[in-house]
Amino acid sequence: MTYSGRHAVLTVCAALSALLSFGASAAAAQGLAEVPEGCQPVATVHKNGCTTTTISQCSNATWQAVSYRRGKPLGTLSYDRDWGFFKWQTHESNKLTLELVPGTGAAMSRAALLETGRHDASGEFRLTTNIIEGQPYILTGNTEKTGATEVISGETYTFYKARRLFEREVGKGGLSFEVDVLIAEDRDLMIEGRWSRSVMGGNEEVFEFAPRAIARPGDSGFLATLSEYGCE
């Protein structure tokens, strides 16, 4: 990988590290999650690590998942109607956007997973940060059914494992993620949980953000920015 490619990968990692360092600070006061314009919130997921994610259905049947850690904004994931993520944005000072180039592929397909238990990821993404503008990345990987299920707040979820590799040059290594993906059996809802990352094949870092409870509209904890778990 070229110097510029390695530098870009390290920039992504630096932004992630700064965001995740919220875990070492005191929790902020409880607040309400911001709901993106044109969206209707349907669930707030309370996770380990003092993390919440509020999921909203938006115009054109797309989805957005806005996450908070210890009451502070962490990031927003945008999904198409079939739950393929097409945009990732971080917040605060280390702003970062990773966005799919339309028509180049799909990160995931709920329909394919429910039908066959597997989906192969593809797509061209563009990375923009405070110092980088539109740098290209290629996504490869897959999502596969694990066979595990779990009942969370009275709903049954099936587990899948998503493996995503973002490279500046295919075959040269880059930023690798593994994510637990939970798909609801009885409604159109997908949750991302525990995840890990590694850079250029190096040591794996694990983030135990497994979902523990899900609040619906009207429930206690709906739109919360402080999780009921891990905020001690």
Side-chain angles (χ1 to χ4, degrees):
M1 176 179 283
T2 63
Y3 170 80
S4 62
R6 185 181 294 273
H7 181 264
V9 170
L10 293 176
T11 299
V12 176
C13 293
L16 276 170
S17 296
L19 288 162
L20 293 168
S21 68
F22 287 146
S25 62
Q30 178 70 274
L32 293 179
E34 180 179 346
V35 178
E37 185 176 355
C39 300
Q40 181 67 37
V42 299
T44 296
V45 185
H46 290 249
K47 304 177 179 180
N48 288 334
C50 200
T51 301
T52 66
T53 299
T54 291
I55 301 169
S56 300
Q57 188 167 25
C58 305
S59 58
N60 300 320
T62 59
W63 304 86
Q64 286 201 31
V66 182
S67 293
Y68 293 78
R69 192 172 193 204
R70 296 191 175 276
K72 299 177 182 179
L74 186 59
T76 300
L77 276 166
S78 300
Y79 303 91
D80 62 28
R81 64 182 61 210
D82 201 21
W83 290 101
F85 104 85
F86 64 86
K87 190 175 185 180
W88 172 43
Q89 297 170 281
T90 62
H91 302 294
E92 299 298 311
S93 58
N94 288 282
K95 290 185 178 180
L96 177 154
T97 299
L98 187 65
E99 188 166 9
L100 176 70
V101 177
T104 61
M108 200 186 79
S109 165
R110 176 179 179 269
L113 293 175
L114 293 178
E115 181 179 357
T116 68
R118 178 185 171 95
H119 177 262
D120 291 323
S122 63
E124 298 177 17
F125 283 74
R126 295 291 183 268
L127 173 70
T128 298
T129 70
N130 294 336
I131 59 174
I132 296 171
E133 179 68 34
Q135 194 163 62
Y137 278 80
I138 303 298
L139 169 65
T140 56
N142 60 69
T143 303
E144 292 184 299
K145 187 176 183 178
T146 69
T149 61
E150 184 175 348
V151 177
I152 305 173
S153 297
E155 296 181 289
T156 301
Y157 288 82
T158 300
F159 278 73
Y160 298 79
K161 179 71 73 175
R163 300 172 180 87
R164 300 165 181 162
L165 175 62
F166 293 91
E167 297 178 289
R168 291 276 287 126
E169 303 171 64
V170 174
K172 299 295 185 179
L175 186 58
S176 176
F177 294 91
E178 286 196 5
V179 185
D180 284 348
V181 173
L182 291 74
I183 294 180
E185 290 190 357
D186 297 326
R187 63 167 165 160
D188 190 2
L189 187 67
M190 189 276 289
I191 298 167
E192 293 194 5
R194 178 184 183 275
W195 62 279
S196 64
R197 73 173 186 208
S198 63
V199 182
M200 305 297 294
N203 293 334
E204 182 182 49
E205 296 179 271
V206 179
F207 302 94
E208 297 287 354
F209 297 160
R212 299 285 300 278
I214 301 169
R216 294 173 179 251
D219 291 345
S220 174
F222 185 65
L223 296 181
T225 59
L226 283 177
S227 175
E228 298 173 358
Y229 304 92
C231 293
E232 299 82 5

